[in-house]
Amino acid sequence: MAAESAVDDRELVTWWGLVVEAYARTAPLLQVGPVGGVDIPGPWFEVLLRLLRTPGQRLTMTQLAHDVALSSGGFTKLADRMVRAGLIERQVSAEDRRVVFAVLTDQGVRVGEEAQRLHVVALREHFLAPLGVRGAGELAGLMRVLRDAGEARRGAV
């Protein structure tokens, strides 16, 4: 532990600042824009990706709210807009009527797959090209550690 605390306070603040700045400058370059006549804001894209990657292409509203870091009320509003856009639908659980799933529609699958394709093109240009395969993999591994540590602390509160 002594080695981890040996870093100068100013240097530590600089390191974190670089993480924040890099994300702030890169994230806009990764936006996919309108797909199939539907504008895809960042949180919508996150929902589409998570549903595309989930067996049955459905998750509970509670899980999705947690995964995209929104309050349940904030996610409900987002889901309402995505339902109106024809990308998802709500399904009540047959086992527990208190549980509601967000499920991709056929249009949601088409839009999500195209948005993902465009996102991958941008990722290759703005994430993979500057870092290389090894650097991108190392960064992903480090961010997983940071995410998991934050999740464990959150669960302990």
Side-chain angles (χ1 to χ4, degrees):
M1 229 20 193
E4 286 86 0
S5 63
V7 65
D8 174 80
D9 290 351
R10 291 176 73 166
E11 186 73 4
L12 181 60
V13 170
T14 298
W15 291 351
W16 181 249
L18 287 168
V19 170
V20 171
E21 288 174 19
Y23 177 78
R25 292 192 180 142
T26 306
L29 301 173
L30 303 176
Q31 297 295 316
V32 296
V35 175
V38 179
D39 191 27
I40 308 293
W44 286 33
F45 181 63
E46 286 298 317
V47 169
L48 291 173
L49 274 185
R50 289 174 192 285
L51 290 172
L52 278 172
R53 295 168 50 181
T54 302
Q57 298 177 326
R58 73 181 202 157
L59 287 167
T60 66
M61 298 279 284
T62 302
Q63 182 64 48
L64 275 169
H66 175 266
D67 289 350
V68 298
L70 289 173
S71 67
S72 61
F75 185 75
T76 297
K77 290 176 185 173
L78 179 145
D80 288 344
R81 291 189 296 273
M82 291 184 75
V83 166
R84 283 194 299 274
L87 301 176
I88 65 170
E89 62 185 21
R90 289 183 173 94
Q91 288 181 355
V92 176
S93 169
E95 294 82 35
D96 184 346
R97 296 191 47 80
R98 295 170 296 178
V99 176
V100 178
F101 291 96
V103 183
L104 281 177
T105 63
D106 290 342
Q107 180 184 3
V109 171
R110 285 190 302 276
V111 168
E113 286 175 346
E114 179 62 12
Q116 180 174 290
R117 187 190 68 72
L118 294 170
H119 185 61
V120 167
V121 170
L123 282 171
R124 290 189 178 282
E125 180 179 352
H126 301 293
F127 175 64
L128 192 59
L131 297 178
V133 172
R134 183 171 156 210
E138 288 173 2
L139 179 59
L142 292 170
M143 296 310 286
R144 179 175 286 118
V145 169
L146 192 59
R147 179 205 62 196
D148 293 350
E151 189 67 26
R153 300 270 269 160
R154 208 177 98 143
V157 174

